[in-house]
């Protein structure tokens, strides 16, 4: 076999990583000499052709792979090649080209001196595959929103500027006039910046299941703080163009408009996202709670309850959860996990769910049980099925399986009515049967909380793998709660309060809030203990029956 054929065969068998490694070795301290360019010619050409970039860009890409992948700057390249930084800066246009090819990414769009290698590029290299740019033309609505997800993530990471994103969006819309979303967006006759804001709202709803937009979510769309403050002022008073055109609106909390929270209007959802067939009813049935936004809160329980919670916490840790799921599947068991937290009000059931979610990094899909039940008459079965369908979609989308929380679920897991004759009773039984069936097929994590465990239907009880009873804390635990709520309390006062008053954690928190409000309004009292006993007596006097106190 000739030498030429042998070299050709070696080139064909060489992987991308091997070619990159060889270029890195030869380029070290080379000053980009003719000898280096000659000796590395084969590998450089191979990489340039594979990625559709110039040979100089191929060399820079190789060096960035070696010096990165998480952070590279012009000094790293200059040091590797043993050339001046000024000379390296002359290749800035090549770095820009690699960024446009998405082989590099600026770490901060406002400072283009630092860059890194995107994870997708590295993932492809591990499999000896060339990273390809996502298709930009001939898209359907779903594919367009996949691309938007990449771009808005880049904006969040400061890897792209608002101006650059705006230009990318305009180019994308121009290339895809067939998409209904683009057509209806154009009909609103908005500026390119306002189109970008509408697109953000739609992206957050479609890709993040988030229909609760705050000022912090839109700040990154503005090039200057002045522009952002002007838009913020208009939004607060309802005078922003997107509000006047009824595209977005204030979120309502307890019937009042919250001027810091915004959402797409229902008409805008129906118009802009018609192709995606988003179920409007299901949006009312549950809200997504981001685990990263949950506040750390110390909880105190008896040793038995604490041990059960710690076991559940360990189980929900990503590595353990994955192993247990795989083992359950191997043994032919159901791999969905349903948990029941039951006990008196104010004993920490709901807060325990929040803290488990925070510690394990799992978002929570919080079901609005009263809303769910109020929608039973009419399209009840459809609504409940849509709820579980939405949860399944969240499981598929999420890196970590989220928690489906039925808080205060007495209304839907109570005893079914035997011999139901009227339409409402039959409807409720039918819905409970649907929920039972969904629990059988559950591929995820469901937690239900209830204050009335004696009314729990036996069929539901059997389907809960973990059942934790939350009891009122004992005196020792109450003392710890008192001191955690009011740190300035000395041990004797805390133990005295804990012994005299058989309160739940929620009730103690309520008293601590009263005490704090008094301190703010009237300053520190001479006899703090007397005021605490006063609030405790009021709490006890008002506690004539079952009372819901948040914990």
């Amino acid at each position: 076999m000739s030498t030429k054929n042998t070299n050709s065969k070696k080139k064909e068998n060489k992987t991308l990583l091997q070619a990159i490694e060889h270029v890195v070795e030869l380029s070290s301290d080379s000053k980009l000499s003719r000898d280096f360019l000659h000796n590395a010619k084969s590998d450089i050409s191979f990489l340039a052709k594979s990625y559709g970039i110039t040979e100089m860009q191929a060399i820079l890409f190789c060096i960035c792979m070696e010096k990165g992948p998480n952070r590279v700057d012009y000094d790293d390249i200059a040091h590797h090649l043993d050339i001046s930084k000024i000379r390296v800066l002359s290749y800035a246009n090549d770095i820009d080209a690699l960024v446009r090819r998405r082989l590099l990414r600026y770490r901060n769009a406002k400072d283009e001196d630092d860059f890194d290698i995107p994870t997708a590029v590295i993932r492809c290299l591990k499999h000896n595959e060339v990273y390809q740019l996502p298709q930009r033309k001939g898209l359907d609505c779903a594919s367009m929103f996949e691309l938007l997800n990449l771009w808005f993530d880049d904006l969040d990471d400061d890897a792209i500027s608002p101006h650059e994103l705006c230009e990318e969006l305009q180019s994308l819309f121009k290339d895809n006039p067939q998409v209904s979303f683009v057509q209806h967006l154009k009909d609103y006759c908005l500026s390119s910046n306002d189109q970008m804001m509408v697109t953000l709202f739609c992206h957050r709803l479609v890709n993040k299941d988030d229909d609760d937009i705050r000022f912090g979510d839109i700040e990154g769309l503005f090039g200057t703080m002045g522009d952002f403050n002007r838009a913020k002022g208009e939004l607060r008073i309802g005078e922003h163009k997107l509000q006047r055109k009824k595209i977005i609106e204030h979120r309502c909390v307890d019937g009042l408009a919250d001027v810091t929270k915004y959402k797409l209007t229902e008409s805008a959802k129906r118009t802009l996202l018609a192709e995606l067939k988003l179920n409007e009813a299901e949006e009312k049935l549950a809200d997504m709670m981001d685990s990263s936004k949950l506040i750390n809160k110390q909880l105190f329980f008896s040793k038995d309850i604490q041990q059960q919670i710690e076991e559940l916490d360990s189980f929900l840790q990503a590595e353990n959860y994955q192993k247990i799921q795989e083992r359950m599947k191997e043994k032919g068991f159901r791999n969905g996990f349903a948990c029941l937290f039951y006990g008196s009000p104010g004993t920490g059931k709901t807060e325990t769910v929040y803290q488990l979610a925070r510690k394990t990094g799992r978002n929570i899909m919080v079901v609005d049980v009263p809303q769910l039940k109020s929608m039973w008459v009419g399209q009840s079965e459809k609504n409940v099925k849509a709820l579980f369908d939405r949860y399944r979609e969240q499981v598929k989308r999420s890196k970590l399986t989220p928690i489906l929380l039925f808080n205060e679920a007495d209304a839907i897991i109570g005893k079914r009515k035997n011999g139901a004759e009227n339409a409402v009773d039959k409807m409720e039984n039918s819905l409970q049967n649907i929920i039972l069936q969904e629990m059988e097929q559950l591929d995820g994590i469901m937690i239900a909380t209830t204050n009335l465990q004696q009314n729990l239907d036996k069929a539901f009880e059997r389907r809960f793998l973990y059942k934790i009873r939350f009891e009122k804390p004992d005196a020792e635990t109450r003392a710890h709660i008192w001191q955690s709520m009011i740190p300035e309390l000395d041990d004797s006062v805390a133990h005295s309060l804990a012994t005299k008053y058989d309160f739940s954690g929620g009730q103690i928190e309520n008293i601590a809030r009263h005490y704090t409000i008094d301190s703010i309004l009237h300053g520190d009292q001479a006899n703090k203990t007397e005021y605490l006993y006063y609030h405790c007596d009021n709490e006890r006097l008002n506690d004539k029956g079952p009372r819901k106190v948040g914990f």
Side-chain angles (χ1 to χ4, degrees), residues 475-522:
E476 182 180 355
T477 305
R478 289 197 296 273
H480 287 305
I481 297 174
W482 275 112
Q483 288 188 306
S484 73
M485 297 288 181
I486 309 175
E488 62 267 28
L489 286 184
D490 58 41
D491 292 346
S492 61
V493 174
H495 280 90
S496 175
L497 290 167
T499 302
K500 183 174 181 179
Y501 299 99
D502 182 22
F503 287 150
S504 68
Q507 290 173 302
I508 295 173
E509 182 181 41
N510 211 32
I511 296 162
R513 291 170 64 197
H514 276 295
Y515 173 80
T516 302
I517 292 170
D518 275 356
S519 299
I520 294 170
L521 293 177
H522 309 298

Side-chain angles (χ1 to χ4, degrees), residues 113-239:
D113 288 336
D114 295 338
F115 25 89
D116 60 19
I117 309 290
T119 303
V121 176
I122 298 172
R123 189 184 303 118
C124 287
L125 275 170
K126 289 178 179 178
H127 299 284
N128 196 35
E129 297 171 354
V130 174
Y131 173 75
Q132 301 293 345
L133 281 171
Q135 181 69 30
R136 297 173 60 109
K137 295 184 178 181
L139 302 178
D140 59 20
C141 196
S143 299
M144 177 175 285
F145 274 89
E146 286 183 22
L147 187 56
L148 292 175
N149 192 40
L150 293 175
W151 289 352
F152 279 107
D153 282 350
D154 282 351
L155 182 70
D156 290 341
D157 293 338
D158 290 326
I160 187 174
S161 69
H163 177 71
E164 289 170 331
L165 175 59
C166 194
E167 288 186 341
E168 290 277 20
L169 291 176
Q170 292 305 305
S171 176
L172 181 68
F173 298 158
K174 184 178 179 181
D175 290 340
N176 294 277
Q178 76 285 351
V179 177
S180 175
F181 170 78
V182 176
Q183 295 169 2
H184 290 299
L185 189 61
K186 184 178 179 181
D187 290 342
Y188 284 121
C189 299
L190 302 171
S191 69
S192 57
N193 285 332
D194 284 339
Q195 285 185 350
M196 179 165 61
M197 186 182 294
V198 174
T199 306
L200 170 69
F201 273 70
C202 294
H203 148 71
R204 292 295 291 263
L205 177 59
V206 174
N207 291 321
K208 308 296 184 184
D209 209 27
D210 182 4
D211 199 20
D212 186 357
I213 308 301
R214 320 291 178 92
F215 288 130
D217 298 321
I218 65 172
E219 183 176 357
L221 298 178
F222 298 88
T224 67
M225 186 56 67
D227 290 339
F228 171 58
N229 286 332
R230 277 189 290 275
K232 187 163 63 170
E234 292 174 351
L235 287 165
R236 282 183 178 277
I237 62 175
E239 289 298 319

Side-chain angles (χ1 to χ4, degrees), residues 352-365:
T352 297
V353 181
Y354 294 163
Q355 294 306 311
L356 285 170
R358 183 189 62 80
K359 288 193 283 186
T360 60
R362 299 181 185 278
N363 294 337
I364 310 176
M365 188 172 177

